[in-house]
Amino acid sequence: MRIILPILLALFAQNAAADGCPVALDHSVAVDKIYTELQLAPNQMTAIPYSNQLWALWLEAPDMPSQLMLDEGLRAIRVGDYVRAVDRLNALVSYCPFYAEGYNQRAFVNFLRTDYQAALPDLDQAISLNPRHTGALTGKARTLIELGKDDEAQVILKMAVALNPWLGERALLR
């Protein structure tokens, strides 16, 4: 029992990242398979379902409270209520600071509000947490383009297209 208790405590601590938010599920095996399928896809129509599968995984929050915050933020984005969206996404990022999609969606809101400088740190954090998040990568590339940093954007865009050659943003490549 003396040996088991510290192990159980360590596992519990590992699963409770911040303020009670558990660590997001590890989807790396599924993501690897999806990216392989995207590389093998013969055309964009074949690739769409795989891209949708990636988004389904990214939009799966670590627990029910974080999922509710994310869903509320996404609903607010859809209706153009960016104040509410930022509020819900701020709450999500505070509750789950290790969940990349919270940062990615908050960056998206700032992009939509044309506050590109505010979007960049969130995109960097999302990419830091999930380096293969093509949504965050293309979001960063598009944000850099809006800021007139085309050369920097091209580097990021090439990384995203290397992961998914069927991204619509591939048209932005020089």
Side-chain angles (χ1 to χ4, degrees):
M1 187 66 173
R2 283 186 166 163
I3 295 173
I4 295 174
L5 187 58
I7 292 171
L8 289 175
L9 289 173
L11 285 173
F12 178 76
Q14 180 181 10
N15 287 328
D19 292 334
C21 180
V23 174
L25 293 174
D26 180 6
H27 294 298
S28 58
V29 172
V31 169
D32 289 345
K33 184 178 183 304
I34 293 167
Y35 278 126
T36 297
E37 294 297 333
L38 283 166
Q39 295 291 318
L40 298 173
N43 57 54
Q44 187 170 4
M45 289 306 293
T46 305
I48 288 172
Y50 297 114
S51 294
N52 291 342
Q53 288 174 28
L54 283 173
W55 277 106
L57 293 174
W58 295 330
L59 291 169
E60 185 181 318
D63 64 1
M64 188 55 71
S66 58
Q67 190 68 58
L68 289 172
M69 288 179 242
L70 177 63
D71 291 346
E72 289 171 359
L74 294 172
R75 273 192 299 278
I77 292 169
R78 277 194 298 277
V79 299
D81 186 352
Y82 300 147
V83 171
R84 173 87 174 138
V86 167
D87 174 69
R88 300 317 307 142
L89 296 168
N90 283 342
L92 175 58
V93 165
S94 289
Y95 177 65
C96 291
F98 304 109
Y99 176 50
E101 197 56 34
Y103 296 98
N104 185 53
Q105 290 301 322
R106 189 168 67 180
F108 181 55
V109 172
N110 285 317
F111 182 88
L112 292 172
R113 296 186 331 179
T114 67
D115 189 352
Y116 307 120
Q117 290 296 340
L120 280 178
D122 279 343
L123 290 163
D124 287 339
Q125 185 62 25
I127 293 165
S128 171
L129 292 167
N130 184 353
R132 297 188 303 166
H133 193 309
T134 51
L137 289 166
T138 56
K140 182 173 181 178
R142 293 183 68 119
T143 301
L144 290 168
I145 289 168
E146 292 297 328
L147 291 169
K149 299 179 179 184
D150 293 344
D151 291 341
E152 198 176 336
Q154 288 296 308
V155 172
I156 303 296
L157 196 53
K158 286 176 185 169
M159 291 168 44
V161 172
L163 290 166
N164 179 357
W166 300 106
L167 291 168
E169 288 84 359
R170 73 185 183 279
L172 300 173
L173 282 172
R174 283 192 243 135

